[in-house]
Amino acid sequence: MSSKAYGGWLTAGFDMWQLGAEAGAVMALRMARIAAGGPAGTAEARLMVSEKVRAAIELQTRLMTGGLGHTPLSGTQATLKHYRGKVAANSKRLNRKR
């Protein structure tokens, strides 16, 4: 394996770490909204479940159609990009003032 390939995996590892940190922040924001209860909490819980199902189906579709690339590294990178985009959108939405 060349040093370029190792660099790709190193970057993917860093992206995984970032995804974990970003997802943790979104989880905290979501739990606060759900814990507050009421219609907004119920709507957030429903949205959370539907988004997770939708994101998984989108990713499976990309996998089955070759949209994730042809190597383990390209598949990992595409998967991380997919989920980091979803997490970023949720973070932006949840951080907006109501």
Side-chain angles (χ1 to χ4, degrees):
M1 209 180 242
S2 70
S3 63
K4 184 177 180 182
Y6 285 124
W9 281 109
L10 184 63
T11 300
F14 180 72
D15 287 344
M16 284 182 226
W17 176 83
Q18 267 189 306
L19 175 60
E22 293 162 354
V26 168
M27 287 167 42
L29 292 168
R30 276 192 150 149
M31 289 302 106
R33 189 167 287 184
I34 292 168
T42 301
E44 187 61 37
R46 287 186 177 150
L47 181 61
M48 178 178 65
V49 172
S50 67
E51 285 177 344
K52 289 184 182 305
V53 171
R54 188 177 323 114
I57 290 170
E58 289 171 0
L59 194 61
Q60 288 173 353
T61 301
R62 290 182 64 198
L63 173 67
M64 298 304 286
T65 59
L68 296 181
H70 302 290
T71 67
L73 179 57
S74 66
T76 299
Q77 290 168 329
T79 299
L80 288 168
K81 183 177 179 182
H82 174 79
Y83 280 117
R84 285 194 72 202
K86 303 294 183 186
V87 170
N90 278 317
S91 180
K92 183 177 180 179
R93 178 180 59 80
L94 290 164
N95 277 306
R96 261 189 256 134
K97 295 217 183 226
R98 290 194 224 176

